Amino acid sequence: EVQLVESGGGLVQPGGSLTLSCAASGFIFSDYWMSWLRQAPGKGLEWVANINPDGSDRYHVDSVKGRFTIFRDNADNSLYLKMNSLRGEDTAVYYCARHFGGDTFDSWGQGNLVTVSS
Amino acid sequence: QSALTQPASVSGSPGQSITISCTGTSSDIGGYDYVSWYQQYPGKAPKLMIYDVSKRPSGVSNRFSASKSGNTASLTISGLQAEDEADYYCSSYTSRITWVFGGGTTLSVL
């Protein structure tokens, strides 16, 4: 069974940093593209970033470019999102998700809340 | 990247059929056959219901079907059941090598 478990969220002040982790199991992690997505309270879903299987290629949505970095450790079956210069509008539940066929997300973690507030 | 446009809410009675539309542009829905639909219950993670415009993952009921015409995709749920009451989101791959989502549609089963 595919399992994705996020951790590392919490309350952080504006301008602060946080690193989210996603532990993967139940599949060959190093074979898959992976993404981070987020959902602000009461709002819709937003794709944030993705990374290719060996970690050499990555993309980020414009609103987080230069502030967030996605990376992975295939030896540890883990996905990460390093978030710097956090803003109030980054407050959201962050999900890690596995790509299927490259263009959809077939498995999602349970989500991890990040709150940016003073 | 602008979000895809979905109705905020739809409703139907048990046993009826409903359709949720999702409108984008030629840079997303109209340009690729990479439209997905997700179901989300309050406080839960989204669940993939449809991918590649009209394909159902294993385990998803055949009461769920979808299609695309031009820049608009549609999700149809037939034989509505109480358990179908949830939020539904459409998504598309885009020409900027990103993914865009709709604002979500709340389905009420009356």
Side-chain angles (χ1 to χ4, degrees):
Chain A
E1 178 194 4
V2 173
Q3 278 203 315
L4 299 168
V5 180
E6 300 98 339
S7 61
L11 176 64
V12 60
Q13 292 190 336
S17 298
L18 207 58
T19 298
L20 300 181
S21 302
C22 172
S25 61
F27 65 103
I28 302 174
F29 181 70
S30 58
D31 282 351
Y32 288 84
W33 282 78
M34 298 292 295
S35 269
W36 285 99
L37 302 99
R38 66 184 179 182
Q39 186 170 32
K43 302 296 185 182
L45 296 163
E46 180 184 32
W47 173 81
V48 174
N50 72 346
I51 188 166
N52 71 337
D54 68 8
S56 61
D57 202 11
R58 63 192 81 181
Y59 299 89
H60 299 77
V61 70
D62 286 348
S63 60
V64 308
K65 280 181 182 174
R67 300 190 299 123
F68 291 12
T69 302
I70 187 172
F71 62 103
R72 66 192 295 163
D73 182 346
N74 285 343
D76 204 27
N77 292 331
S78 293
L79 177 72
Y80 301 95
L81 184 67
K82 172 67 173 174
M83 303 184 292
N84 295 327
S85 303
L86 281 160
R87 307 166 180 167
E89 54 263 38
D90 296 319
T91 294
V93 173
Y94 284 74
Y95 296 98
C96 66
R98 186 180 78 168
H99 280 245
F100 174 68
D103 57 79
T104 194
F105 312 105
D106 71 333
S107 297
W108 297 62
Q110 84 285 358
N112 202 211
L113 178 62
V114 172
T115 303
V116 183
S117 175
S118 55
Chain B
Q1 188 78 38
S2 299
L4 306 175
T5 300
Q6 298 180 233
S9 62
V10 298
S11 62
S13 300
Q16 287 186 333
S17 295
I18 63 94
T19 296
I20 300 172
S21 63
C22 172
T23 302
T25 69
S26 58
S27 295
D28 39 67
I29 291 176
Y32 305 91
D33 286 334
Y34 293 148
V35 178
S36 299
W37 290 89
Y38 300 87
Q39 177 191 64
Q40 186 180 36
Y41 294 112
K44 300 296 186 182
K47 174 187 176 183
L48 179 65
M49 304 300 283
I50 296 285
Y51 67 99
D52 291 356
V53 177
S54 60
K55 298 177 182 177
R56 278 189 311 274
S58 174
V60 172
S61 171
N62 59 10
R63 297 186 298 105
F64 291 81
S65 62
S67 62
K68 186 189 87 166
S69 177
N71 297 337
T72 298
S74 298
L75 172 71
T76 297
I77 308 173
S78 59
L80 269 180
Q81 298 179 2
E83 67 200 49
D84 299 331
E85 190 163 286
D87 292 329
Y88 291 85
Y89 293 91
C90 59
S91 173
S92 176
Y93 180 73
T94 84
S95 59
R96 299 185 65 190
I97 317 178
T98 61
W99 283 260
V100 65
F101 284 82
T105 298
T106 297
L107 168 62
S108 298
V109 180
L110 306 172

